[in-house]
Amino acid sequence: MTIRTARLDVHLTPADAHVALRTDVLLGLTAQPKQLPPKYFYDARGSELFDEITRLDEYYPTRAEREILTTRSAEIHAAAGCPETLVELGSGSAAKTRHLLSAMRDCGSLDTYVPVDISEEITQRTAAELVEEYPGLNVHGLVCDFEQHLERVPHGSGTRMIAFLGGTIGNLYPRQRHAFLERIRALLGPGDHLLLGTDLIKDRARLEAAYDDAAGVTAEFNKNVLAVLNNQLGADFDLDAFEHVARYDEEAERMDIRLRSLADQDVRLDDLDLEIHFGTEEEMRTEISTKFTRERIAAAYDGAGLELRGWFTDAAGDYALSLAAPAG
Ligand code: AVJ
């Protein structure tokens, strides 16, 4: 009997992450208009709040994606040609991944799982759990910021499916999204596929409710980014002096999420030796969440040398998982 263990490559240390945070915050807060990157929402408290968001009545994407994965994983796996390796970008606790892994196991192709995430702790735990749950599975994880180190993703064996779930690609601006898809394209060999989760365009009322829930959880999640700066950069943001704003921008086809200053105020960030002024009603963007149609996704793939090969939605048609492969 072969004893398998998880292997983990670490390309991002807490010190690296801190340097990136300092740089991003300095650039974002001195830009006009001010903005902060959404990746800094997710400290321990932010991850907890996001978890709570996924259970809200108004927030449908997580449930819709889970519906697709629970009902159609076997079909998705077959459409991707029964790959041996599953690479997952932003794997986290891999809650949804198990549906895909089980489909791979059931058709006998499962060999390697490659979780890629910025949190070493979570990736370590997920890897150890999966080695137990799927006897014989090789787990070769990677701790990195996949926007930077996509090229370091371990190869695994046989053909691969690279999954990027949760709709996180919606956080990227068109140019970033294009660059990201081109880099994915460069990773894909013959027979390999991308499995991408995207939220779909729907009426404004539902979209805005999903990002401004009645219980105020999303508002707290949004403001938590200020607490992250207080904790990690010695800042003195007063969270009560900002309010949550979530608007659907119909032209850009995306949710536009901001924090609006309720006062004329100065904020100090000790670790950056920086003082920043906010005017009354000044808005700072903290996130975009782009919504798609099948046509828009097909076009985005096209522009990056990829081809749409499969399209799977939930019964309500709110959310899609699409499969793509190198064009040609
Ligand atoms: C995790 C990026 C997919 O855009 O819907 C949820 C984050 N922000 N509510 C999204 C989020 C506010 C979420 N993603």
Side-chain angles (χ1 to χ4, degrees), residues 149-268:
H149 299 305
L150 212 47
E151 292 67 24
R152 300 190 192 175
V153 170
H155 227 277
S157 66
T159 54
R160 313 194 286 174
M161 176 152 75
I162 300 184
F164 188 30
L165 304 176
T168 307
I169 195 163
N171 281 170
L172 303 183
Y173 288 92
R175 277 163 205 268
Q176 293 176 305
R177 183 171 69 229
H178 176 75
F180 181 75
L181 288 175
E182 282 198 317
R183 294 169 72 198
I184 296 271
R185 162 71 189 86
L187 285 185
L188 297 177
D192 291 349
H193 288 79
L194 166 67
L195 180 69
L196 184 68
T198 46
D199 194 12
L200 300 177
I201 293 178
K202 54 188 60 64
D203 67 88
R204 168 187 295 275
R206 277 190 72 208
L207 285 170
E208 291 186 343
Y211 292 86
D212 193 8
D213 60 281
V217 181
T218 309
E220 201 182 332
F221 171 76
N222 192 9
K223 288 186 196 188
N224 181 64
V225 76
L226 302 179
V228 170
L229 305 197
N230 286 350
N231 296 332
Q232 299 192 18
L233 296 175
D236 63 358
F237 280 97
D238 172 6
L239 274 58
D240 295 328
F242 291 85
E243 71 179 343
H244 172 64
V245 179
R247 272 190 298 260
Y248 183 56
D249 178 340
E250 225 156 288
E251 199 163 326
E253 298 176 324
R254 64 194 185 205
M255 286 302 302
D256 190 336
I257 295 150
R258 303 173 182 213
L259 288 169
R260 182 193 288 140
S261 173
L262 294 171
D264 201 66
Q265 53 180 322
D266 292 306
V267 176
R268 190 156 166 83

Side-chain angles (χ1 to χ4, degrees), residues 299-318:
Y301 284 151
D302 237 31
L306 293 162
E307 201 171 77
L308 180 67
R309 293 280 183 82
W311 180 259
F312 308 85
T313 73
D314 57 313
D318 286 334

Side-chain angles (χ1 to χ4, degrees), residues 41-42 50 53 59 61 166-168 171 210-211 218 221 257 287-289 291:
F41 283 133
Y42 303 92
F50 179 67
I53 287 174
Y59 193 78
T168 307
N171 281 170
Y211 292 86
T218 309
F221 171 76
I257 295 150
E287 182 177 45
I288 57 165
S289 188
K291 307 305 165 188

Side-chain angles (χ1 to χ4, degrees), residues 4 47 77 140 142 156 160 195 202 205 229 251 266 282-283 303:
R4 316 263 188 188
S47 300
H77 180 57
H140 187 172
L142 177 65
R160 313 194 286 174
L195 180 69
K202 54 188 60 64
L229 305 197
E251 199 163 326
D266 292 306
E282 181 176 345
E283 291 182 4

